């Protein structure tokens, strides 16, 4: 009869087994893409349980609800008796639990609200108005992000102000003032934002040693998934919980650290062995997802990074896939080619639509693909655009529910006070808000003093009527279910009636959405142990973009590369691979930013199981401006000889010997003039010349006895684009066109007679 240990390790490779069986002391698992990371984490927890470790002494944290739910399911399957008692959640979910339990110790209401990004922007906007800060000079979203990053670094408004003053940063000093007022408003409302959840948890544990010791004893075994994505606040959270017993296991991949823009610090994983000198390190390098070819080209890219732990993935999977570079004329041609390929491969039943994913660097790139899918009548889904809970009508109803839960929520109050219309105008609300601010109370608390605030009799009556409506809903809170409360809000508030009266296609869609909200509330009650309104509001606030992804829906998937982590598809298209777009902007001139862009490319490439397409186009219209670009360096780093490199070699070969126009023309006609669309035996295609050497492009010509001063390789200066090098010529005389590679990485095609170029 096999032991539990043998059962758990039976289907594991040697490195996986080593990680699973290591239970005491610090452990870092460098888990490459597709190496069975989730299996290792869950089977390690199951092994701890088999050793008699109490399930409630294990704390496992990750970054998405989807990942946490998958881990929980697997652990319960492996350990049916005790697995359900292991705490597995996201960082933020655990911190909500901690702060609600310990609220009385830290002068916090256990009924605190959680503000999302839209709520934060509304509060910051109010702060800027009070501080007389010009919104045109200081963007609201930028200030919100700066405040969030400060909280990620555990910096208070005073810390931010000091940092800014030390370097003479006027912008930082201004943000620090907004940050200070912003926090006061949140405290007055009884609300926290996402940054507060972890920051307040860490500060509480630091301020109360007895409380810290209690939780260190309670959770003696700590496991952290995706450790490369932790920010400083999360790093301190982990360090505090593991500070006594040091039974800390972190799992992640430095090659997939792509969230520095939201505070993630790759040094947390790179320096783990310095933080825990007696730690054990295990590398998972056997990949179970991709073909050898895909892994090879992905490694060729990521190996150019210097900030990484040396490792290289390998696999025993058959090498039956492909990696191809797909060139298009422009962004519309790119979309048409990609969607046509998807259509071809689903028409012959080789793949399902859900086996295809299109990745891109920016959300704006999705439009052309959506247009192409719609034209061909192919179902698709876009991940990361407008979430269900971000729709205006859903946020309206949720604002009612938030106000029922916490009447001091000024943000929700202002959103719904005149929805549906009650004759309470913007000026009246601003007057009441100023009065509330003067009295240091919430707007809700100011309603009984509306007449004193100077509001008209009609507005006072309307405000009191609204207050009675909300009070009636509040009375339901302790006796009715979330679904029942939601239904009554939708009907008794008059919201549904106003939409029905409007009777437009848009209003009908909104009605469908709020009916779906009722279903969502019902689903919550069926699945959640905490069936309270507070529990529902917390769950909704912690939903991430990727939590909505459902691969079983039978649709092709579109998403940004940042959302692709943790997913896998048989066929992956990485689109927009041009310098300036990916790698994006000025990142090519900053080593740290470039390495993160390269890691993002690696993430995208390693999502592919069978076929990987690297797509680019020399011409692309972005935000209404058409530009010419070079293929991304990631294509050449992957080992592909790009068209530009091939043509440059052709030129060098031509100029290395006396030029023979007839010979060159015959060569051109043979190799390029008959280029056409070629279908290959794996049902992929590209524009391939007969010799399968390079992609067909616009013909270029060299004049016999070229008298032009613009020579290949000459350096020129353009009044707008700056300095660049001529890499290609086309035509003669007034029709002479040059392709110039400028120092900013872009290349442009210019007509010499109007380009105003200066030879250097």
């Amino acid at each position: 009869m096999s032991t539990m240990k043998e059962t758990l390790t039976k289907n594991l490779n040697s490195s996986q087994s080593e990680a699973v069986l290591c239970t005491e002391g610090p452990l870092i698992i460098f888990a490459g893409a597709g190496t069975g990371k989730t299996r290792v984490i869950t089977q390690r927890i199951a092994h701890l349980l088999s050793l008699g470790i109490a399930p409630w002494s294990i704390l496992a944290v990750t970054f998405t609800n989807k990942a946490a739910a998958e881990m929980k399911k697997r652990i319960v399957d492996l350990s049916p008796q005790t697995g359900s008692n292991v705490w597995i959640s996201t960082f933020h979910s655990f911190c909500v639990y901690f702060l609600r339990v310990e609220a009385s110790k830290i002068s916090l209401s256990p009924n605190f609200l959680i503000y999302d990004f839209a709520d934060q922007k509304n509060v910051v906007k109010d702060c800027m108005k009070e501080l007389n800060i010009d919104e045109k000079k200081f963007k609201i979203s930028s200030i919100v992000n700066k405040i969030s990053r400060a909280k990620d670094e555990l910096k208070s408004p005073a810390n931010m102000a000091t940092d800014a003053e030390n370097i003479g940063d006027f912008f930082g000093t201004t943000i620090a003032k907004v940050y200070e007022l912003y926090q006061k408003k949140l405290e007055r409302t009884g609300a926290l934002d996402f940054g507060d959840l972890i920051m307040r948890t860490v500060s509480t544990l630091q301020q109360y040693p007895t409380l810290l010791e209690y939780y260190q004893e309670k959770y003696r075994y700590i496991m952290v998934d995706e450790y490369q994505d932790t920010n400083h606040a999360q790093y301190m959270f982990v360090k505090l919980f593991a500070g006594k017993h040091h039974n800390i296991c972190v799992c992640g991949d430095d090659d997939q650290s792509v969230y520095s823009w939201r505070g993630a610090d790759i040094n947390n994983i790179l320096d783990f062995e310095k933080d825990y000198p007696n730690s054990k390190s295990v590398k998972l390098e056997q990949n179970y997802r991709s073909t050898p070819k895909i892994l090879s080209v992905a490694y060729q890219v990521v190996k150019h990074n210097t900030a990484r732990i040396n490792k290289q993935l390998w696999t025993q999977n058959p090498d039956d896939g492909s990696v191809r570079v797909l060139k298009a004329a422009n962004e519309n041609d790119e979309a048409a080619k990609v969607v046509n390929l998807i259509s071809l491969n689903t028409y012959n039943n080789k793949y399902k639509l859900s086996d295809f994913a299109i990745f891109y660097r920016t959300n704006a790139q999705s439009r052309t693909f959506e247009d192409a899918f719609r034209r061909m009548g192919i179902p698709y889904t876009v991940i990361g655009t407008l979430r269900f809970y971000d729709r205006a009508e859903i946020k309206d109803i949720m604002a009612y529910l938030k106000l029922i839960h916490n009447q001091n929520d000024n943000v929700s109050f202002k959103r719904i006070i005149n929805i549906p219309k009650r004759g309470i105008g913007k000026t009246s609300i601003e007057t009441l808000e100023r009065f509330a601010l003067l009295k240091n109370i919430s707007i809700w608390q100011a309603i009984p003093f509306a007449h004193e605030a100077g509001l008209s009799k009609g507005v006072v009556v309307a405000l009191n009527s609204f207050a009675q409506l909300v009070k009636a809903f509040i009375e339901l809170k302790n006796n009715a279910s979330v679904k029942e409360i939601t239904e009554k809000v939708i009907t008794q508030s008059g919201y549904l009636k106003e939409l029905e009266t409007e009777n437009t296609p848009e209003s009908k869609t909104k009605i469908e959405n709020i009916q779906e909200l009722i279903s969502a509330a019902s689903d919550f009650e069926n699945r959640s142990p905490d069936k309270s309104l507070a529990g529902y509001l917390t769950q909704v606030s912690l939903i991430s973009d990727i939590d909505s992804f459902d691969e079983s829906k039978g649709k092709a998937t579109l998403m940004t590369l940042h959302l692709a982590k943790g997913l896998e598809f048989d066929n992956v298209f990485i689109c927009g691979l041009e310098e300036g777009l990916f790698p994006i902007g000025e990142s090519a001139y900053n080593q740290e930013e470039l390495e993160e862009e390269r890691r993002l490319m690696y993430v995208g490439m390693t999502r592919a199981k069978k076929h990987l397409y690297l797509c680019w186009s020399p011409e692309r219209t972005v935000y209404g401006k058409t530009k010419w670009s070079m293929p991304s360096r990631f294509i050449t780093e992957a080992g592909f000889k790009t068209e530009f490199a091939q043509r440059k070699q052709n030129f060098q070969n031509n100029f290395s010997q006396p030029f023979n126009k007839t010979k060159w023309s015959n060569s051109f006609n043979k190799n390029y003039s008959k280029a056409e669309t070629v279908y290959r035996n794996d049902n992929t295609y590209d524009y391939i010349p007969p010799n399968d050497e390079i992609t067909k492009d616009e013909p270029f010509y060299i004049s016999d006895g070229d008298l032009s001063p613009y020579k290949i390789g000459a350096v020129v200066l353009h009044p707008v684009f700056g300095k660049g090098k001529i890499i290609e010529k086309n035509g003669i005389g007034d029709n002479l066109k040059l392709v110039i590679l400028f120092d900013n990485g872009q290349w442009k095609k210019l007509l010499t007679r109007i380009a105003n170029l200066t030879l250097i």
Side-chain angles (χ1 to χ4, degrees):
M1 184 176 178
S2 63
T3 64
M4 183 63 174
K5 174 180 172 181
E6 291 171 336
T7 301
L8 285 171
T9 59
K10 182 174 66 173
N11 296 318
L12 302 179
N13 63 43
S14 58
S15 296
Q16 291 174 329
S17 296
E18 184 181 6
V20 166
L21 299 177
C22 178
T23 59
E24 304 298 313
L27 169 66
I28 182 167
I29 304 170
F30 290 103
T35 56
K37 175 194 66 173
T38 304
R39 173 188 289 185
V40 169
I41 293 174
T42 53
Q43 299 207 175
R44 184 176 184 273
I45 293 175
H47 180 53
L48 286 170
L49 295 174
S50 73
L51 296 175
I53 304 299
W56 46 84
S57 68
I58 302 171
L59 170 63
V61 287
T62 185
F63 279 83
T64 68
N65 296 309
K66 190 179 182 72
E70 176 61 23
M71 288 168 61
K72 186 82 170 182
K73 179 181 180 300
R74 292 197 195 187
I75 289 169
V76 171
D77 289 343
L78 289 167
S79 306
Q81 306 276 321
T82 55
S84 60
N85 293 319
V86 176
W87 186 287
I88 303 170
S89 73
T90 63
F91 277 97
H92 291 98
S93 293
F94 178 85
C95 290
V96 169
Y97 155 78
F98 173 87
L99 292 172
R100 292 209 194 280
V101 169
E102 307 300 341
S104 61
K105 296 184 178 67
I106 55 176
S107 302
L108 179 69
S109 167
N111 293 325
F112 62 81
L113 292 162
I114 303 172
Y115 277 179
D116 62 17
F117 187 71
D119 296 328
Q120 289 176 267
K121 287 200 295 184
N122 286 328
V123 178
V124 166
K125 186 173 184 177
D126 289 343
C127 292
M128 293 174 71
K129 189 174 181 180
E130 286 183 36
L131 296 170
N132 294 314
I133 296 172
D134 190 350
E135 289 182 25
K136 294 179 181 177
K137 294 181 180 178
F138 296 85
K139 289 185 177 179
I140 294 174
S141 58
S142 177
I143 292 179
V144 172
N145 285 326
K146 291 288 185 183
I147 292 173
S148 296
R149 295 297 75 76
K151 292 183 179 184
D152 290 340
E153 296 170 12
L154 301 177
K155 290 183 178 179
S156 66
N159 296 145
M160 179 185 272
T162 300
D163 289 348
E165 288 167 8
N166 288 341
I167 60 174
D169 180 7
F170 171 74
F171 181 63
T173 302
T174 303
I175 293 177
K177 292 177 183 176
V178 176
Y179 182 8
E180 182 179 18
L181 182 56
Y182 171 83
Q183 284 304 111
K184 288 178 181 177
K185 285 185 176 293
L186 261 61
E187 288 168 14
R188 190 181 299 137
T189 302
L192 301 177
D193 60 25
F194 289 135
D196 285 324
L197 295 176
I198 298 177
M199 188 177 184
R200 290 290 292 270
T201 298
V202 169
S203 63
T204 299
L205 293 172
Q206 290 173 328
Q207 291 170 19
Y208 298 93
T210 305
L211 197 62
L212 173 60
E213 186 175 2
Y214 168 78
Y215 278 96
Q216 287 176 335
E217 281 298 327
K218 181 175 182 179
Y219 298 110
R220 299 167 69 96
Y221 293 85
I222 312 296
M223 293 199 66
V224 186
D225 186 22
E226 305 286 7
Y227 191 63
Q228 78 281 348
D229 291 336
T230 53
N231 57 37
H232 180 65
Q234 291 159 336
Y235 165 83
M236 288 303 301
F237 170 101
V238 173
K239 198 165 188 179
L240 286 167
F241 273 88
K244 184 174 183 179
H245 296 288
H246 302 288
N247 292 324
I248 169 72
C249 170
V250 302
C251 187
D253 183 7
D254 49 294
D255 286 334
Q256 297 185 70
S257 178
V258 295
Y259 291 114
S260 66
W261 50 276
R262 69 180 190 193
D265 186 352
I266 192 175
N267 292 307
N268 291 347
I269 192 168
L270 295 177
D271 294 342
F272 181 85
E273 291 165 283
K274 294 179 184 176
D275 290 335
Y276 300 91
N278 298 320
S279 63
K280 182 179 179 61
S281 172
V282 177
K283 293 180 183 178
L284 304 183
E285 296 174 290
Q286 183 176 356
N287 177 282
Y288 296 92
R289 174 188 299 154
S290 306
T291 66
K293 193 175 297 179
I294 290 171
L295 295 180
S296 175
V297 295
Y299 176 71
Q300 293 306 314
V301 172
V302 80
K303 75 176 184 180
H304 285 79
N305 279 357
T306 56
R308 65 183 298 268
I309 300 297
N310 185 37
K311 56 190 171 303
Q312 183 173 358
L313 303 186
W314 60 277
T315 186
Q316 293 179 340
N317 291 342
D319 201 5
D320 56 356
S322 66
V323 181
R324 297 197 183 283
V325 174
L326 179 61
K327 182 198 169 187
N330 52 42
E331 73 277 9
N332 292 311
D333 186 43
E334 176 187 57
K337 278 184 165 68
V338 169
V339 174
N340 195 32
L341 275 171
I342 293 174
S343 177
L344 284 170
N345 283 282
T346 52
Y347 180 76
N348 61 17
N349 296 319
K350 187 174 182 180
Y351 292 105
K352 304 185 299 293
L353 281 172
S354 56
D355 293 330
F356 293 88
I358 300 171
F359 300 151
Y360 34 77
R361 183 63 181 81
T362 66
N363 277 310
Q365 291 169 254
S366 73
R367 181 193 60 80
T368 54
F369 294 102
E370 292 188 68
D371 289 347
F373 276 119
R374 283 195 292 266
R375 280 195 300 270
M376 296 192 69
I378 298 175
Y380 68 94
T381 183
V382 183
I383 307 300
T385 52
L386 187 64
R387 296 187 310 154
F388 175 75
Y389 288 100
D390 287 337
R391 298 180 188 278
E393 61 274 17
I394 301 303
K395 289 189 76 69
D396 289 342
I397 304 303
M398 294 304 297
Y400 272 99
L401 297 179
K402 287 179 181 179
L403 194 63
I404 293 166
H405 176 64
N406 182 337
Q407 292 78 60
N408 294 328
D409 180 5
N410 286 348
V411 172
S412 295
F413 183 99
K414 288 194 291 183
R415 183 179 184 97
I416 62 171
I417 184 59
N418 206 38
I419 297 178
K421 290 180 172 55
R422 299 184 174 89
I424 306 173
K426 182 181 178 182
T427 302
S428 297
I429 295 304
E430 289 176 346
T431 301
L432 189 62
E433 185 176 17
R434 282 195 298 271
F435 178 85
L437 190 63
L438 187 66
K439 298 292 185 181
N440 197 29
I441 56 178
S442 68
I443 306 177
W444 170 268
Q445 292 170 326
I447 289 178
F449 309 101
H451 182 72
E452 182 183 337
L455 297 178
S456 67
K457 183 178 179 180
V459 172
V460 171
V461 170
L463 283 168
N464 287 329
S465 176
F466 173 75
Q468 291 304 313
L469 175 71
V470 174
K471 286 176 183 176
F473 292 147
I474 292 170
E475 291 178 7
L476 292 170
K477 191 165 67 168
N478 295 326
N479 300 314
S481 67
V482 174
K483 178 187 175 185
E484 290 169 336
I485 296 172
T486 304
E487 287 175 325
K488 289 190 180 297
V489 164
I490 290 169
T491 55
Q492 294 181 12
S493 68
Y495 196 93
L496 179 61
K497 184 178 180 180
E498 186 172 78
L499 289 176
E500 289 173 339
T501 302
E502 187 179 327
N503 194 29
T504 63
E506 291 77 14
S507 67
K508 290 176 181 177
T509 299
K510 289 181 179 182
I511 291 172
E512 290 173 358
N513 287 336
I514 60 176
Q515 288 172 339
E516 180 61 26
L517 181 62
I518 296 172
S519 299
S522 177
D523 185 52
F524 159 78
E525 290 168 358
N526 293 332
R527 291 185 295 103
S528 177
D530 178 3
K531 302 183 186 304
S532 67
L533 179 59
Y536 178 59
L537 294 174
T538 297
Q539 175 193 274
V540 170
S541 68
L542 297 179
I543 292 174
S544 68
D545 288 330
I546 202 62
D547 289 330
S548 64
F549 176 67
D550 182 358
E551 60 271 19
S552 67
K553 286 187 175 179
K555 299 178 180 180
T557 302
L558 284 72
M559 66 174 73
T560 63
L561 284 142
H562 280 101
L563 293 176
K565 281 184 60 179
L567 303 178
E568 59 181 37
F569 302 87
D570 281 344
N571 308 278
V572 165
F573 297 85
I574 303 179
C575 299
L577 278 168
E578 297 118 37
E579 289 292 306
L581 182 56
F582 192 25
I584 200 166
E586 301 296 312
S587 60
Y589 305 103
N590 180 297
Q591 182 65 20
E592 289 185 3
E593 291 179 10
L594 178 59
E595 293 209 357
E596 178 146 330
E597 290 289 296
R598 191 174 281 120
R599 291 193 292 269
L600 189 58
M601 177 67 177
Y602 177 78
V603 166
M605 297 172 86
T606 53
R607 300 309 96 196
K609 296 165 68 175
K610 293 287 187 181
H611 301 286
L612 173 64
Y613 299 87
L614 311 180
C615 311
W616 79 283
S617 60
E619 178 186 326
R620 185 176 296 273
T621 301
V622 182
Y623 304 121
K625 293 183 178 180
T626 301
K627 66 177 185 178
W628 288 76
S629 300
M630 295 292 294
S632 170
R633 68 193 64 203
F634 300 149
I635 294 177
T636 52
E637 288 176 358
F640 290 92
K641 197 169 188 181
T642 67
E643 176 185 354
F644 167 62
Q646 178 65 52
R647 294 169 73 176
K648 184 177 179 181
Q649 183 63 49
N650 288 347
F651 272 117
Q652 291 172 345
N653 292 341
N654 286 333
F655 284 105
S656 65
Q657 51 187 302
F659 180 70
N660 184 310
K661 183 177 180 181
T662 302
K663 181 179 178 182
W664 186 87
S665 297
N666 290 339
S667 174
F668 176 84
N669 290 332
K670 176 184 177 183
N671 291 323
Y672 298 96
S673 63
K674 296 181 180 178
E676 59 183 5
T677 301
V678 175
Y679 289 85
R680 300 182 175 180
N681 57 11
D682 60 357
N683 289 315
T684 65
Y685 74 99
D686 200 343
Y687 288 102
I688 307 295
N691 63 357
D692 202 18
E693 204 175 336
I694 69 167
T695 303
K696 178 179 183 292
D697 199 355
E698 179 181 333
F700 50 85
Y701 305 93
I702 301 174
S703 169
D704 190 8
D706 186 3
L707 301 177
S708 165
Y710 300 107
K711 309 294 184 185
I712 300 295
V715 178
V716 296
L717 183 67
H718 188 277
V720 176
F721 307 121
K723 192 165 65 173
K725 182 180 291 187
I726 299 172
I727 60 173
E728 191 175 304
K729 299 172 65 172
N730 183 328
I732 59 174
D734 286 346
N735 294 319
L736 178 62
K737 295 177 184 176
L738 304 177
V739 176
I740 302 172
L741 175 60
F742 289 97
D743 287 355
N744 64 4
Q746 291 188 355
W747 63 281
K748 294 186 179 292
K749 186 178 292 187
L750 302 173
L751 187 63
T752 56
R753 62 183 169 85
I754 61 172
N756 196 19
L757 297 171
T758 303
L759 280 163
I760 298 177

